[in-house]
Amino acid sequence: MSFRRGVVRQSKFRHVFAQAWKAEHCLDDVRVSRVTWDGPLCATNPKFIAVVIEAGGGGAFLVLPLAKSGRVDQNTPTVCGHAAPVLDVQWCPHDDNVIASASEDCTVKIWQIPDGGLTSPMSEAVVTLEGHSKRVGILAWHPSALNILLTAGCDNVLCVWDVGTGELVYQLSDAHPDLIYSVSWNREGSVLCTTCKDKALRVIDPRRGTVIKVREKAHEGTRPMRAVFLADGKILTTGFSRMSERQLALWDTRDLSEPMVSQEIDTSNGVLLPFYDPDTNMVYLCGKGDCTIRYFEVTDESPYVHFLSLYSSKEPQRGAGFLSKRGVDVNKCEIARFYKLHERKVEPISMTVPRKSDLFQGDLYPDTAGLEPALQAEDWIAGQDAPPILVSLSGGYTAPPSKCGTLRGRPKLLSQTNTSPTSTTAPANPMAVEMESEGLGHGQGRRDVDGGIERVKKEEDQLSDILTEIRALRALVLAQGHRIDVLERQLARIEDGEV
């Protein structure tokens, strides 16, 4: 590996070490999917772990409480509503009970998992999204807008959905001439970057349907590339050189003509999946079929991408899940956790910074993205942008119970989830049902009910406007708070004579 190792660089993450959990804390007898798709096949959040598994006659994935360990019984209920193998699963960043799944059956389905996990097989999705003509292999939730989901399929089409209503709000069908390998939103969710089989790295504005920037041949090799947006707007890519060496590159989106840095890693042939932590600015590279996980820190000082260390084991990984920062154990100075997929086992691996103190280490845990969305779907569609609303991890994080209304509170969704063809014409108000049964549907009682419904709708609209304004003000206050922190640090450096 050609990583620079001269003078020892000062960093609080220089001594991060990775450690696999003991065998009794692993999940055993999990039949991990053998699908030939270069995805992680696993997704985790503070409540659950989801793993794509082998399933006869369709596609299925396993959802288990995060605290579950030991042998997984073959009769454990699964999410099994797809007609073909599942290729990707992603938890909603704004509701820990909502998960999206993409499949070879050309559909994307949204599921609401009950608190505590499944007690019986789940085959009926809350929403089914149909818009792709070929298999769908990539999912990416919007980081700050509620219910906005991006999907990419083997039809070379990008789709942006409002899953609250089940509507396809944007479709980009001519931006990619070949298979899309990866998609990543930027921090505010205003633009996204993609990699494609034509070796190009693209920056796209999905609302305007335009490709803002293109870098041809970001990596010379023919094997798949991956890209991820960093918190400061830069893009990190993984790919292969012309000589089939695995590479890592960092790009400044203002000028994609040359990478800021490009490093060769090794000569293995597994696709490198990048997992990025915006709080610590660390990137973890997990190669499919590798026995190692490498981790790097990205900074503003040359060579920008600093190799820290690697975790090595005897068994290769089939995939990996990267736990949301809200789920790590702050009392043990755990800054990241992977769930490594073996052929029949899921093994947790903790990344820890050694500290002697038992106090909360604020420098390791800056405020992280919480469940509260900064925008509603309609706000983002109307052109608004906002960074995620942050929460403190001081004292640890406790996942709240399911809101259960994240998806079901919109009228169009209610009509989608009804299976009866006549159900959409049935009166939704129980008072209206009662009056119609008593023969009052066309009399004074009906007019009173209509008037009451109209008043309630008006009050709900006013409440929605007030909540939208509160969210916008909250985002503004947070942004100004961060700006003040930056200015205070700059002032302190000037007063100390560092500048």
Side-chain angles (χ1 to χ4, degrees):
M1 291 185 293
S2 58
F3 303 115
R4 302 187 183 184
R5 296 185 184 274
V7 179
V8 175
R9 188 179 62 90
Q10 294 302 313
S11 168
K12 55 180 170 279
F13 304 115
R14 194 157 51 88
H15 299 294
V16 171
F17 72 96
Q19 188 170 27
W21 290 21
K22 294 180 180 178
E24 58 264 29
H25 298 302
C26 297
L27 292 171
D28 295 312
D29 280 351
V30 177
R31 297 170 294 122
V32 177
S33 173
R34 296 177 178 273
V35 67
T36 56
W37 183 257
D38 290 320
L41 302 179
C42 179
T44 63
N45 66 23
K47 284 187 179 181
F48 301 106
I49 177 170
V51 181
V52 181
I53 59 171
E54 284 288 295
F61 60 96
L62 198 62
V63 174
L64 298 169
L66 201 66
K68 164 74 176 172
S69 61
R71 184 176 176 274
V72 177
D73 191 271
Q74 296 301 308
N75 297 321
T76 300
T78 62
V79 181
C80 52
H82 283 286
V86 175
L87 300 181
D88 195 13
V89 287
Q90 293 291 332
W91 290 102
C92 174
H94 304 120
D95 189 335
D96 285 340
N97 294 70
V98 173
I99 188 170
S101 60
S103 168
E104 287 189 3
D105 65 9
C106 308
T107 68
V108 173
K109 293 179 183 285
I110 313 297
W111 313 85
Q112 186 107 27
I113 307 298
D115 280 327
L118 301 179
T119 55
S120 60
M122 181 176 283
S123 59
E124 291 296 323
V126 180
V127 187
T128 298
L129 307 175
E130 298 177 341
H132 290 280
S133 59
K134 294 185 179 179
R135 60 180 181 166
V136 189
I138 298 173
L139 299 168
W141 289 94
H142 193 283
S144 57
L146 182 67
N147 286 342
I148 295 293
L149 177 67
L150 177 78
T151 63
C154 293
D155 51 6
N156 313 334
V157 174
L158 288 176
C159 294
V160 181
W161 309 82
D162 178 354
V163 300
T165 61
E167 292 177 294
L168 175 62
V169 291
Y170 299 108
Q171 186 175 40
L172 288 81
S173 54
D174 54 359
H176 300 86
D178 213 326
L179 181 65
I180 301 166
Y181 284 143
S182 72
V183 169
S184 175
W185 291 99
N186 69 344
R187 183 75 164 161
E188 295 79 25
S190 57
V191 296
L192 52 96
C193 67
T194 67
T195 57
C196 179
K197 194 173 182 179
D198 67 355
K199 305 181 186 179
L201 169 66
R202 292 174 173 83
V203 180
I204 296 173
D205 183 337
R207 286 174 295 197
R208 295 193 309 190
T210 56
V211 178
I212 303 170
K213 289 183 181 290
V214 181
R215 163 64 185 183
E216 305 287 348
K217 294 187 178 178
H219 293 274
E220 295 277 353
T222 56
R223 291 187 56 73
M225 298 178 358
R226 292 290 186 274
V228 61
F229 248 119
L230 306 187
D232 59 3
K234 297 183 180 69
I235 297 174
L236 185 135
T237 61
T238 62
F240 292 81
S241 69
R242 190 177 296 167
M243 304 300 292
S244 293
E245 297 164 316
R246 293 199 292 194
Q247 292 179 324
L248 167 71
L250 184 66
W251 306 85
D252 188 337
T253 48
R254 294 170 296 185
D255 182 9
L256 294 178
S257 59
E258 290 295 331
M260 296 175 63
V261 63
S262 179
Q263 297 178 353
E264 291 175 359
I265 297 175
D266 59 21
T267 55
S268 296
N269 59 6
V271 176
L272 283 171
L273 306 179
F275 296 93
Y276 174 62
D277 179 0
D279 304 330
T280 60
N281 229 28
M282 288 177 63
V283 176
Y284 303 84
L285 298 186
C286 178
K288 296 203 77 171
D290 286 7
C291 298
T292 59
I293 299 173
R294 295 173 175 83
Y295 35 107
F296 305 76
E297 185 180 5
V298 184
T299 69
D300 292 329
E301 57 190 59
S302 182
Y304 307 112
V305 181
H306 306 272
F307 174 70
L308 294 173
S309 187
L310 61 84
Y311 165 79
S312 184
S313 63
K314 294 180 181 179
E315 295 184 70
Q317 55 237 8
R318 301 279 294 275
F322 187 56
L323 181 62
S324 155
K325 183 58 71 66
R326 294 180 288 110
V328 300
D329 189 344
V330 299
N331 298 316
K332 295 180 180 177
C333 295
E334 182 186 42
I335 61 168
R337 190 188 306 164
F338 279 89
Y339 285 81
K340 176 181 173 180
L341 304 187
H342 299 252
E343 190 170 352
R344 294 187 70 88
K345 184 173 76 169
V346 181
E347 178 184 43
I349 299 168
S350 289
M351 306 288 178
T352 307
V353 178
R355 292 280 172 92
K356 292 181 180 179
S357 173
D358 292 332
L359 300 175
F360 175 71
Q361 304 294 310
D363 62 323
L364 298 181
Y365 301 103
D367 290 354
T368 191
L371 284 175
E372 183 70 23
L375 298 170
Q376 295 298 306
E378 53 268 29
D379 300 330
W380 181 79
I381 294 168
Q384 295 184 41
D385 293 313
I389 294 176
L390 307 181
V391 296
S392 172
L393 293 179
S394 176
Y397 176 83
T398 304
S402 172
K403 291 181 280 189
C404 288
T406 305
L407 296 168
R408 291 192 167 92
R410 315 278 290 273
K412 286 191 180 179
L413 185 61
L414 285 171
S415 67
Q416 274 203 358
T417 55
N418 289 332
T419 54
S420 168
T422 58
S423 61
T424 53
T425 61
N429 189 295
M431 272 177 69
V433 174
E434 184 179 340
M435 289 191 172
E436 282 190 4
S437 68
E438 293 175 1
L440 299 174
H442 301 287
Q444 181 63 38
R446 181 64 182 228
R447 286 195 294 273
D448 289 346
V449 169
D450 289 343
I453 292 172
E454 193 169 330
R455 282 195 303 275
V456 170
K457 188 176 185 304
K458 189 174 180 181
E459 288 171 1
E460 286 178 348
D461 290 343
Q462 289 173 342
L463 180 60
S464 176
D465 291 342
I466 292 169
L467 289 173
T468 300
E469 191 169 350
I470 289 172
R471 289 190 191 96
L473 287 171
R474 184 185 298 165
L476 180 62
V477 168
L478 283 168
Q480 293 299 331
H482 291 312
R483 175 71 177 153
I484 289 168
D485 288 343
V486 170
L487 292 174
E488 284 179 345
R489 285 197 294 270
Q490 289 176 351
L491 179 61
R493 290 176 63 197
I494 292 169
E495 289 175 346
D496 292 340
E498 295 179 14
V499 178

